[in-house]
Amino acid sequence: MYADDLCVAFMDIYPLGEGHVLLIPRQHVVQLEELDAGTRAHMYTVFDRLLAAQRRAGLGVEGTHFLVNDGKAANQHIPHAHMHLIPRRRGDGLRFLYRLSLHLTGLFGFAKPMSTLREQAARIAAGMRSSDQEAE
């Protein structure tokens, strides 16, 4: 969905909400603080662009969770720094809490069909492209 020299973004296969994106640095580090300041700043810029693209795609218009499980004590299951952008909708609290509880236990729940994830990724990528065209 998105890639540059410093980071990549793709759909979470076990999403906590429709359009859930993972943003990951290419450099292997366990915690975000291990990245140099320039890479961290770049990732936050990409995060802002992804958030705007999700909203252009109709995802997260009502709200978004920004989630970072930074270290084992913070329930980080994969020892590689990453950020979650989780679109939210009013009234999705019970479903969100159920899926979150599965993530916290390490069970993760059921994977979304790849066709659904590809469709959401295409919508978000289109939002990124339209943002790039507006900036030119």
Side-chain angles (χ1 to χ4, degrees):
M1 171 181 42
Y2 177 83
D4 64 29
D5 291 342
L6 299 177
C7 61
V8 295
F10 51 88
M11 307 307 294
D12 191 313
I13 197 167
Y14 300 104
L16 294 176
E18 182 183 13
H20 180 167
V21 172
L22 292 172
L23 177 59
I24 299 176
R26 288 188 182 268
Q27 178 186 351
H28 174 64
V29 296
V30 175
Q31 293 181 292
L32 290 171
E33 70 183 15
E34 297 171 52
L35 294 169
D36 64 85
T39 301
R40 275 196 317 273
H42 175 75
M43 287 189 63
Y44 285 109
T45 298
V46 172
F47 168 85
D48 287 340
R49 291 180 59 217
L50 285 166
L51 178 60
Q54 283 175 324
R55 292 194 174 154
R56 280 188 190 89
L59 304 164
V61 174
E62 295 182 54
T64 299
H65 266 116
F66 170 50
L67 179 64
V68 178
N69 299 328
D70 203 38
K72 198 171 205 172
N75 208 44
Q76 182 184 33
H77 293 283
I78 308 292
H80 187 93
H82 58 282
M83 302 174 179
H84 297 261
L85 291 82
I86 309 164
R88 297 293 306 276
R89 285 186 284 188
R90 187 172 305 194
D92 71 354
L94 288 177
R95 177 179 291 161
F96 179 81
L97 288 175
Y98 172 71
R99 289 181 176 164
L100 181 61
S101 67
L102 288 175
H103 272 252
L104 293 175
T105 63
L107 296 175
F108 297 106
F110 299 102
K112 276 286 185 196
M114 288 306 294
S115 58
T116 300
L117 297 174
R118 283 189 192 103
E119 183 272 328
Q120 292 171 5
R123 288 169 47 202
I124 295 168
M128 293 281 282
R129 284 190 300 277
S130 78
S131 172
D132 291 343
Q133 290 169 353
E134 290 172 9
E136 293 176 359

